């Protein structure tokens, strides 16, 4: 962040945030953006009245001071010249207690308008709710009003009306003021006219009503009830009260602006790293800290210093009560709302129970009572408590910030490589390819191939295994067995309780590279899953393996740079998430706003997170899907062809089937807007095949279907490239996913009769295998598991393949009998990171996963 960005975030940002939240809340009630603008303008004028009223008093006192000094200053200017005149004026100013900077007091009401104008301008000029919204004679609040038209020429009437009202208000306000003050107001009116003439009519409407309310205020107080001058300029209060207010403001800022954001960032720093713009994510904490200082320190102090004694006393009570309520709620009422994205949006809408709401309200009431008692009876002790809490929050936040900074520096060192990913495939030697499509749905394959006949030709030689299980419903449970075999199932890993899950994951993903390089194969591992037990793999795991190259694709192949948009979204959401966590439980939905955090900024669809409406309509983009998808589409660019007889193995992980998106049908392509309504309605028969219907109920079903289809098509294009370059027949290809998803698409997989019901579709991964020189597309009902992958990869080309870490032979013998499966939803490797997986439900299955009788509940463990 540059200096201007920091100043804006500190001074203007908090005002813009408050205006945005207020607009969003009121607009939900009115459902009329024009009426919302008027109500917001009225509310803000009421809230800001004490500030402007005191500013008027300060201005009046400063003006009177200048008038009383004018005769003597005029005399000095007439009687003296040069340095002598300057010295005399300075001496007279000191005698009168006047500073040249005091001239700013005469312009204070005008100066105060500037930050509020900038905040309103930025909030309304980019407000998505205004676009296309009519109001009275205005056809679109998101555009200029154009109310007067003469042939090809149009005149924006609203800015002219705003200016006339502004001039009239200024005349009433300054009719007894010096010409200098009047000129300032008239000049300001002209500036507003020039600045807003081409602005959206919604913004001009806001400022017009702002001027109307100012006119009413000025007419009443300047004509009917002039401001008393006796109390003008008396803004200082008891030092003890001021220090208490300052400390409680700093405490609020430290809690909401620094500690909570730093804590959230430290929990999963890697998720907050912007892969499009590799800059330290502590920038988001800095942004939150500045927002916190502006919202809880700077602007409250402005109001405090311009308030009367009674107002300052009330503000002390309010801010102290607010701090203790926020502290109690954020630390003691931290409801578990489930999995949350890196944009701080929960996968499921957070819902608090009536019990938690009532208990929290009682706790807040107690906090308010205690705050009042402490201020009345123990003011010095309260200050000590606040200083201590602020220090604790600062230290705790700094520990989190240091941890995040250390992680980021290690990430840059261990996970980012300058060179482009490349792998070798030879025309005369042997090539083995294992592609893991994260969470690709195995049961969908027959429907996808039936829907797109060209896939059968592109996947010539493949066998689809539709009777395959994974050993868990998430990546952390399933990938060890996928890459390492039966010695790395969750049950087997738990038996090795003296070793960390991180070490066992690294060992599992190293089995195939060690076996192949030990048999003179060159090995390339792209996006090695959870290497170093990190979301973005730590490539140093493979640094000491001779013949192994490891890469992360990151954003190398993405078509759109989401960097600035992501930064703005996370900066806004992180601070608002902190407000959400600190707010009374009853009010939390207002701050969360269904994951929008009251952000109504208009963004280009090209740079907007994809929002899905129903099952067929979407707007925006899923940047995680696109990063992985475009990398998959670029496999031919990564392929280095060897005309000789080298032996090579490629291990590749792709997440585009996990981070799914709605795509345009029937091409299954990325677009700014997606509307498949007509196509989906006309092609419902594609979801019934051989008498079995795949139930498609919601957007998750459709996004999985469309993303899986896009991934299969992308791989099909690469297979055509391999055929065109004589690399297909001498290549063994295994396409496998690490698990399925509990989509509830097949009645046969709903194990509802078990003691603890489960949707077995979560354990049905994709498995397709093409052997050397094989042709045709076939389907097998053989019982398979993910742990068969190492055997399938090495069969017939590695003599007696042996696990280099245990010395045991790689086989499929352990597939006989019931297979033990974990059903934990704790997929977070930062939380589930001990020596054994956290306690969960277990199941067993054997032979035929589609037969309900073969599923058994095996208890918890």
């Amino acid at each position: 962040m540059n200096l201007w960005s920091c100043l804006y975030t500190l001074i203007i940002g908090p005002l813009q945030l408050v205006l945005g939240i207020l607009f969003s809340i009121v607009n939900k009630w009115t459902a009329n953006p024009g009426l919302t603008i008027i109500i917001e303008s009225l509310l803000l004028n009421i809230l800001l009245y004490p500030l402007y009223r005191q500013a008027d008093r300060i201005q009046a006192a400063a003006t009177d001071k200048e008038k009383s000094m004018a005769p003597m200053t005029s005399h000095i200017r007439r009687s003296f010249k040069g340095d002598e005149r300057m010295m005399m004026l300075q001496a007279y100013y000191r005698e009168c207690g006047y500073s040249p900077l005091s001239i700013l007091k005469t312009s204070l009401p005008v100066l105060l308008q500037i930050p509020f104008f900038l905040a309103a301008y930025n909030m309304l000029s980019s407000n998505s709710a205004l676009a296309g919204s009519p109001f009275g004679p205005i056809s679109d609040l998101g555009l200029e009003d154009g109310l007067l038209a003469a042939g090809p020429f149009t005149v924006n009437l609203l800015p002219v009306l705003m200016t006339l009202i502004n001039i009239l208000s200024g005349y009433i306000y300054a009719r007894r003021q010096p010409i200098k003050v009047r000129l300032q107001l008239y000049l300001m009116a002209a500036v507003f006219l020039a600045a807003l003439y081409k602005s959206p009519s919604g913004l001009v409407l806001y400022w017009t009503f702002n001027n109307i309310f100012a006119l009413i205020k000025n007419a009443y107080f300047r004509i009917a009830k002039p401001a008393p001058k006796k109390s003008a300029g008396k803004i200082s209060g008891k030092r003890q009260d001021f220090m208490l207010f300052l400390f409680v403001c700093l405490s609020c800022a430290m809690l909401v602006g620094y500690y909570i954001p730093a804590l959230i960032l430290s929990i999963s720093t890697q998720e907050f790293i912007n892969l499009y713009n590799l800059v330290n994510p502590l920038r988001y904490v800095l942004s939150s800290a500045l927002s916190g200082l502006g919202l809880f320190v700077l602007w409250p102090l402005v109001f405090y210093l311009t308030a009367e004694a009674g107002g300052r006393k009330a503000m002390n009570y309010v801010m102290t009560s607010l701090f203790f309520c926020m502290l109690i709620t954020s630390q003691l009422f931290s409801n578990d709302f489930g999995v949350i994205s890196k944009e701080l949006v929960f996968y499921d809408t957070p819902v608090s129970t009536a019990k938690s709401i009532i208990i929290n309200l009682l706790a807040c009431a107690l906090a308010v009572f205690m705050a009042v008692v402490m201020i009345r009876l123990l003011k010095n002790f309260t200050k000590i408590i606040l200083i201590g809490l602020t220090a604790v929050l600062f230290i705790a936040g700094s520990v989190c910030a240091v941890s995040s900074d250390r992680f980021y520096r290690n990430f840059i060192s261990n996970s980012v490589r300058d060179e482009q990913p490349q792998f070798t495939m030879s025309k005369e030697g042997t090539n083995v390819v294992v592609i893991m499509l994260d969470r690709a749905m195995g049961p969908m394959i027959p429907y996808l191939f039936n829907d797109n006949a060209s896939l059968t030709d592109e996947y010539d030689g493949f066998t689809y295994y539709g009777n395959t299980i994974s050993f868990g419903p998430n990546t952390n449970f399933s990938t060890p067995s996928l890459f390492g075999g039966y010695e790395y199932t969750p049950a087997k890993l738990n038996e090795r309780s003296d070793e960390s899950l991180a070490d066992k994951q690294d060992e599992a993903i190293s089995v195939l590279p060690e076996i192949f390089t030990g048999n003179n194969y060159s090995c390339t591992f792209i996006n090695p899953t959870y290497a170093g037990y990190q979301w973005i793999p730590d490539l140093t795991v493979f640094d000491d393996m001779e013949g192994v190259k490891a890469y992360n694709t990151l954003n190398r192949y993405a078509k759109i740079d989401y960097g600035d948009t992501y930064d703005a979204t996370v900066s806004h959401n992180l601070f608002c998430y902190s407000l959400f966590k600190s707010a009374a439980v009853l009010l939390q939905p207002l701050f969360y706003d269904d994951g929008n955090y009251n952000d109504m900024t208009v963004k280009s669809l090209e740079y907007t997170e994809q929002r899905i409406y129903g099952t067929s309509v979407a707007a925006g983009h899923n940047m995680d899907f696109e990063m992985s998808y475009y990398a998959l589409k670029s496999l031919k660019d990564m392929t280095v062809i060897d005309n000789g007889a080298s032996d090579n193995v490629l291990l590749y992980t792709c997440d585009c089937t996990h981070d799914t998106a709605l795509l345009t049908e029937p091409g299954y392509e990325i677009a700014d807007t997606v509307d498949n309504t007509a196509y989906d309605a006309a092609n419902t028969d594609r979801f019934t095949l051989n008498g079995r219907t795949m139930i498609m109920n919601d957007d998750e079903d459709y996004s999985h279907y469309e993303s899986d289809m896009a991934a299969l098509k992308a791989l099909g294009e690469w297979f055509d490239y391999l055929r065109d370059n004589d690399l297909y027949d001498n290549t063994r290809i295994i396409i496998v996913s690490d698990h399925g998803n509990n989509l509830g698409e097949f009645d046969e997989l709903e194990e509802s009769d078990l003691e603890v019901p489960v949707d077995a579709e979560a354990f049905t991964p994709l498995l397709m295998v093409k052997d050397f020189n094989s042709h045709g597309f076939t389907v097998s009902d053989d019982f398979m598991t993910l742990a068969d992958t190492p055997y399938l990869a090495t069969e017939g080309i590695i003599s007696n393949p042996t696990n280099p870490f245990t010395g045991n032979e790689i086989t499929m013998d352990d597939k006989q009998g019931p297979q033990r499966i974990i059903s934990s939803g704790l997929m977070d490797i930062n939380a589930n990171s001990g020596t054994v997986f956290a306690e969960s439900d277990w199941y067993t299955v054997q032979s035929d996963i589609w037969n309900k009788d073969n599923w058994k509940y095996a208890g918890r463990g």
Side-chain angles (χ1 to χ4, degrees):
M1 297 178 69
N2 56 36
L3 179 59
W4 166 246
S5 296
C6 290
L7 290 174
Y8 185 93
T9 304
L10 174 67
I11 301 171
I12 312 299
L15 300 179
Q16 185 175 335
L17 178 67
V18 171
L19 289 174
I21 292 174
L22 184 59
F23 183 96
S24 177
I25 293 173
V26 174
N27 196 53
K28 285 182 177 63
W29 173 62
T30 65
N32 185 324
L35 183 58
T36 298
I37 288 171
I38 296 172
I39 294 174
E40 179 163 34
S41 179
L42 175 61
L43 291 175
L44 283 175
N45 272 275
I46 293 172
L47 291 172
L48 296 176
Y49 164 71
L51 178 62
Y52 283 126
R53 187 69 169 150
Q54 188 64 16
D56 288 345
R57 292 188 178 119
I58 294 171
Q59 182 193 46
T63 301
D64 289 347
K65 186 79 168 179
E66 288 186 356
K67 284 182 180 178
S68 67
M69 292 170 56
M72 179 58 73
T73 55
S74 297
H75 172 71
I76 292 173
R77 287 191 174 95
R78 287 195 306 268
S79 304
F80 301 96
K81 295 181 180 180
D83 292 341
E84 188 177 11
R85 175 197 289 174
M86 183 63 65
M87 292 174 62
M88 292 293 292
L89 283 172
Q90 289 176 347
Y92 182 60
Y93 288 156
R94 283 195 297 272
E95 181 182 338
C96 296
Y98 179 83
S99 165
L101 292 177
S102 298
I103 195 172
L104 294 176
K105 293 181 180 180
T106 62
S107 306
L108 188 57
V110 174
L111 293 174
L112 277 176
Q113 289 189 54
I114 294 176
F116 288 96
F117 168 74
L118 291 175
Y121 183 91
N122 287 326
M123 189 274 290
L124 289 171
S125 61
S126 61
N127 193 307
S128 59
L130 302 185
S133 297
F135 184 71
I138 303 171
S139 59
D140 188 342
L141 290 171
L143 302 175
E144 304 168 36
D145 64 79
L147 290 176
L148 293 180
F153 301 101
T154 59
V155 176
N156 296 327
L157 186 59
L158 206 54
V160 177
L161 178 62
M162 174 199 71
T163 303
L164 293 176
I165 296 172
N166 204 356
I167 291 173
L168 178 59
S169 177
Y171 171 76
I172 295 174
Y173 175 82
R175 62 196 181 98
R176 295 191 182 95
Q177 299 287 344
I179 186 65
K180 176 179 66 174
V181 175
R182 280 177 281 167
L183 285 175
Q184 284 178 351
L185 293 174
Y186 299 148
L187 178 61
M188 184 65 72
V191 169
F192 278 127
L193 175 62
L196 298 180
Y197 186 77
K198 291 286 188 179
S199 295
S201 52
L203 173 61
V204 185
L205 180 68
Y206 169 82
W207 213 252
T208 300
F209 273 88
N210 228 37
N211 291 339
I212 290 173
F213 296 136
L215 173 62
I216 295 171
K217 178 194 71 175
N218 290 337
Y220 177 72
F221 286 106
R222 290 286 174 172
I223 297 175
K225 189 179 180 181
K229 295 182 180 180
K230 187 166 56 175
S231 61
K234 295 184 179 180
I235 61 173
S236 60
K238 293 182 180 178
R239 178 178 176 82
Q240 189 178 20
D241 291 339
F242 172 76
M243 295 306 295
L244 174 63
F245 186 77
L246 177 61
F247 289 142
V248 75
C249 288
L250 287 171
S251 297
C252 290
M254 193 62 65
L255 172 66
V256 178
Y258 185 59
Y259 168 68
I260 295 178
L263 176 64
I264 295 300
L265 184 69
S266 68
I267 290 174
S268 186
T269 306
Q270 191 168 104
E271 289 193 84
F272 288 95
I273 295 175
N274 184 351
L275 298 180
Y276 291 90
N277 185 14
L278 290 174
V279 179
N280 197 317
L282 283 178
R283 62 157 70 184
Y284 306 129
V285 176
L286 172 60
S287 176
S288 291
L290 291 171
S291 296
L293 286 171
L295 184 62
F296 292 109
V297 180
L298 175 63
W299 284 107
L301 283 176
V302 170
F303 280 85
Y304 184 89
L305 294 174
T306 54
E308 298 291 342
R312 293 194 294 272
K313 186 176 182 180
M315 289 179 69
N316 254 326
Y317 284 122
V318 169
M319 290 300 293
T320 305
S321 299
L322 177 65
F323 169 69
F324 284 113
C325 287
M326 292 194 301
L327 182 65
I328 289 172
T329 301
S330 63
Q331 302 307 304
L332 301 182
F333 292 86
S334 184
N335 293 322
D336 182 8
F337 293 127
V339 181
I340 191 170
S341 73
K342 59 179 175 289
E343 289 85 14
L344 285 307
V345 178
F346 293 100
Y347 285 13
D348 298 313
T349 302
V351 178
S352 298
T353 63
K355 179 181 179 181
S356 66
I357 292 173
I358 293 172
I359 294 175
N360 177 251
L361 288 176
L362 292 174
C364 288
L366 179 61
V368 172
F369 175 76
M370 292 300 299
V372 172
V373 171
M374 290 171 68
I375 292 176
R376 283 181 174 273
L377 304 179
L378 302 166
K379 192 169 292 185
N380 288 329
F381 177 72
T382 303
K383 284 192 291 185
I384 294 173
I385 291 293
L386 290 172
I387 293 172
L389 288 173
T390 302
V392 170
L393 291 170
F394 175 75
I395 293 170
S398 297
V399 169
C400 294
V402 169
S403 172
S404 297
D405 180 67
R406 184 184 303 115
F407 181 93
Y408 173 74
R409 294 179 187 279
N410 289 335
F411 165 79
I412 292 298
S413 173
N414 300 338
S415 299
V416 179
R417 297 286 187 267
D418 293 332
E419 62 268 24
Q420 292 286 338
Q422 289 185 335
F423 56 87
T424 301
M425 298 186 72
S426 69
K427 293 186 176 183
E428 303 296 333
T430 300
N431 305 306
V432 177
V433 174
V434 178
I435 295 177
M436 189 192 97
L437 297 178
D438 195 333
R439 204 166 68 173
M441 304 299 296
M444 277 188 180
I445 292 299
Y447 300 87
L448 294 168
F449 273 66
N450 183 61
D451 190 8
N452 187 347
S454 64
L455 290 177
T456 301
D457 294 331
E458 291 173 338
Y459 284 74
D460 179 43
F462 275 88
T463 297
Y464 161 63
Y465 293 93
N467 186 25
T468 303
I469 63 157
S470 65
F471 291 93
N474 295 298
T475 302
N476 53 330
F477 307 115
S478 298
T479 51
S481 62
L482 189 157
F483 290 109
Y486 284 93
E487 294 183 275
Y488 299 94
T489 66
K492 291 290 187 182
L493 292 178
N494 278 356
E495 290 176 5
R496 297 164 57 180
S497 58
D498 58 339
E499 302 172 63
S500 70
L501 290 172
D503 288 342
K504 288 179 278 193
Q505 175 77 17
D506 288 345
E507 180 182 308
I509 62 175
S510 301
V511 169
L512 285 176
E514 289 280 14
I515 290 175
F516 276 105
T517 55
N519 286 270
N520 299 317
Y521 278 72
S522 67
C523 177
T524 303
F525 206 150
I526 298 178
N527 304 323
T529 308
Y530 291 167
Y533 233 42
Q534 302 296 332
W535 293 103
I536 300 175
D538 180 351
L539 302 180
T540 60
V541 170
F542 302 96
D543 281 355
D544 295 331
M545 294 187 192
E546 187 175 352
V548 178
K549 295 184 297 182
Y551 303 96
N552 287 323
T553 53
L554 302 176
N555 69 327
R556 294 179 188 273
Y557 303 98
K559 305 298 183 185
I560 301 174
D561 183 356
Y562 294 93
D564 293 340
T565 301
Y566 177 82
D567 284 345
T569 299
V570 174
S571 294
H572 174 271
N573 288 6
L574 183 60
F575 182 66
C576 289
Y577 175 82
S578 187
L579 291 173
F580 157 78
K581 292 289 287 184
S582 306
V585 174
L586 179 65
L587 301 178
Q588 285 181 348
L590 292 178
F591 288 94
Y592 183 67
D593 185 32
D594 292 328
N596 295 308
Y597 292 102
N598 298 293
D599 183 7
M600 307 192 74
T601 306
V602 174
K603 299 172 185 174
S604 167
L605 288 174
E606 190 177 42
Y607 297 97
T608 304
E609 178 186 358
Q610 187 174 63
R611 295 298 174 114
I612 298 176
Y613 310 96
T615 60
S616 305
V617 179
H621 291 249
N622 182 332
M623 67 177 186
D624 292 328
F625 168 82
E626 293 182 16
M627 275 196 298
S628 298
Y629 173 70
Y630 283 125
L632 194 66
K633 293 268 287 184
S634 301
L635 280 174
K636 66 178 182 180
D637 298 325
M638 305 180 208
T639 306
V640 176
I641 299 175
D642 174 19
N643 292 317
S646 63
D647 296 328
N648 309 281
V649 61
L650 167 67
L651 308 175
Y652 186 98
T653 295
C654 176
D655 290 335
C656 72
T657 46
H658 184 282
D659 301 315
T660 58
L662 281 191
L663 307 171
T664 57
E665 295 174 313
Y668 300 95
E669 297 172 344
I670 294 167
D672 292 346
T673 58
V674 174
D675 189 350
N676 296 326
T677 305
Y679 184 88
D680 288 341
N683 292 275
T684 56
D685 57 339
R686 58 186 165 152
F687 302 129
T688 298
L689 184 64
N690 299 326
R692 177 181 286 166
T693 296
M694 182 168 63
I695 303 168
M696 304 290 283
N697 284 327
D698 55 34
D699 62 278
E700 195 170 14
D701 297 325
Y702 279 86
S703 64
H704 260 292
Y705 186 89
E706 292 163 21
S707 299
D708 285 15
M709 178 72 86
L712 292 176
K713 290 182 64 176
L715 286 175
E717 293 172 3
W718 185 55
F719 298 157
D720 287 340
Y721 170 81
L722 296 182
R723 275 185 280 266
D724 292 341
N725 289 276
D726 300 323
L727 297 168
Y728 194 72
D729 286 339
N730 66 323
T731 299
R732 173 181 288 168
I733 304 174
I734 301 171
I735 303 174
V736 61
S737 65
D738 50 348
H739 55 87
N741 197 4
N742 53 338
L743 300 178
E745 294 175 329
F746 298 94
D747 290 335
E748 298 92 331
L749 295 174
E750 290 285 347
E751 310 303 331
S752 56
D753 295 332
L754 297 179
E755 181 181 343
V756 178
V758 66
D759 179 7
E761 194 176 5
F763 311 102
T764 54
L766 162 65
L767 179 61
M768 292 195 295
V769 181
K770 184 200 82 72
D771 214 341
F772 305 109
N773 299 303
S774 61
H775 295 282
F777 184 83
T778 59
V779 176
S780 173
D781 291 328
D782 291 348
F783 179 60
M784 305 291 285
T785 81
L786 286 188
D788 293 330
T789 305
Y791 179 83
L792 294 172
T794 57
E795 181 187 13
I797 56 174
I798 303 293
S799 178
N800 298 319
T802 302
N803 184 331
F805 301 101
T806 66
N808 296 323
E809 186 176 353
I810 302 292
T811 70
M812 296 197 300
D813 295 344
D814 288 345
K815 187 166 55 178
Q816 308 306 316
Q819 301 299 303
R820 192 168 171 82
I821 298 171
I822 190 172
S823 183
S824 172
L826 192 54
M827 62 180 132
D828 187 348
I829 56 175
N830 294 309
N832 207 347
S833 58
T835 59
V836 297
F837 293 116
E839 183 181 25
S840 183
D841 292 311
W842 291 76
Y843 297 85
T844 61
V845 64
Q846 60 182 342
S847 303
D848 182 3
I849 66 172
W850 294 90
N851 186 338
K852 290 179 178 289
D853 293 336
N854 289 339
W855 287 86
K856 306 294 181 184
Y857 178 65
R860 289 185 64 81

